[in-house]
Amino acid sequence: MARSRNIKPAFFSNDELAESNCALGRLFFIGLWTVADHNGNLEWRPKRLKAQLLPYDDCDIKKLAINLDKSGFIRYYSDGDILYINIAKFSDHQNPHKNEKLKGTTFPIYSEEGRQLVDLNTLMINLDKSRLNQESSQSDPADSLNLIPDSPIPKKRERFAPPSLDDVFNYMVEQSVRDPAGESDRFVNYYESNGWKVGRNPMKSWQAAVRNWITNIKDFKKPDPPPSKTKTIENLTNTDWANEIIEGNAQ
C-alpha cells in the first residue's frame, strides 16, 4: 500500500544524486519512499515496483535501483531467503503516521550482516553472505557515503586548527587594520585563553572571528577623553572676562 511521504526542496539540487542517477532514477527513488514501511524498508520485487511506480515509462527498474545502490541512496539486504531494499537515513527525514508504526511491519530490520553486495560490472546482485572484497571485484562500496535520502550530501568538514600569530597579523594587514601588530596579539591572547571558542561553541573559522573582531574593535577600546579647553582672553566675551576677573580665574 502506497503512503504519503515528505519531500524537501533540497532534493532537487542534490548534485550527487543527479550525477549518478537519471531523471527516471530520481523519480523512482521518490516512489520507493511511498511503498517503504516506516523504517524505510521494502521487498525487492522489480516487476511489481515497475507497475506501481513507473507504469508508463520504458525503463530497466533493476538498472535504476542498482544505480541508487551504487551512489549510496539505497541498500540491498536479505534475511537469507528474500531480498529487500533499505532507504538510507529514511527515518531521519520522514515522519510516518503513528498508526503506521503501531501496525508494525513484516519486513526485517536492515542490518550490515544482511547487506548484499552489488556487482556493478554486470549490474547483478550477489545473493550470498560472503562479504566479498568490493575492491578486488571492482565494485564500489554502495553504502560508504552514508547519505541522506532527500537532502544534499554533507561536505566533509575540515578540522579546525588555531592560527599562528603571524597568520592573524597578515590577515589583519589584508583587512587594513590600523594597528595589526597590537590587534593580532590581543586577538590570539583572547582566544587562546578561552580555548578558541566563540561563545560556548568551538571556533570553526578563525578568519571569520578576525573579521568580527575588527568590526567590534571599538567595543574593546575606551574612547579618548575630549581635550580640555584652556580659557584665554581671546575666547572670552567681555561679559565672560569680567566674570572671570571677579572670580579670579582669568589668565
Side-chain angles (χ1 to χ4, degrees), residues 66-67 69-70 118-124 137-141:
I66 290 181
N67 280 339
D69 181 290
K70 176 183 177 180
V118 177
D119 182 349
L120 300 176
N121 296 322
T122 58
L123 294 180
M124 294 293 292
S137 64
Q138 297 183 347
S139 297
D140 295 337

Side-chain angles (χ1 to χ4, degrees), residues 79-204:
D79 62 357
D81 298 315
I82 301 175
L83 191 62
Y84 299 93
I85 285 177
N86 168 259
I87 300 172
K89 297 286 186 175
F90 180 86
S91 59
D92 290 349
H93 298 275
Q94 299 296 330
N95 186 25
H97 193 277
K98 63 179 181 179
N99 292 340
E100 183 183 344
K101 295 180 180 180
L102 291 174
K103 186 177 179 181
T105 179
T106 58
F107 303 142
I109 299 297
Y110 170 81
S111 67
E112 282 298 310
E113 287 73 20
R115 180 78 166 95
Q116 296 296 327
L117 302 183
V118 177
D119 182 349
L120 300 176
N121 296 322
T122 58
L123 294 180
M124 294 293 292
I125 302 167
N126 298 319
L127 298 177
D128 59 52
K129 298 291 185 70
S130 63
R131 313 298 296 169
L132 299 176
N133 186 323
Q134 291 187 321
E135 292 184 359
S136 62
S137 64
Q138 297 183 347
S139 297
D140 295 337
D143 60 344
S144 62
L145 297 179
N146 197 25
L147 304 178
I148 299 173
D150 51 357
S151 296
I153 297 172
K155 303 295 183 182
K156 186 176 180 181
R157 182 177 296 171
E158 294 183 1
R159 192 172 185 178
F160 174 77
S164 67
L165 182 59
D166 288 340
D167 291 334
V168 177
F169 172 80
N170 293 332
Y171 191 68
M172 286 199 175
V173 170
E174 293 177 9
Q175 300 297 314
S176 301
V177 175
R178 179 175 297 180
D179 180 18
E183 292 301 335
S184 58
D185 188 61
R186 281 186 283 272
F187 176 88
V188 171
N189 288 337
Y190 177 81
Y191 282 108
E192 277 186 346
S193 66
N194 75 351
W196 293 96
K197 292 183 177 180
V198 179
R200 296 183 179 180
N201 301 317
M203 182 179 292
K204 297 178 181 179

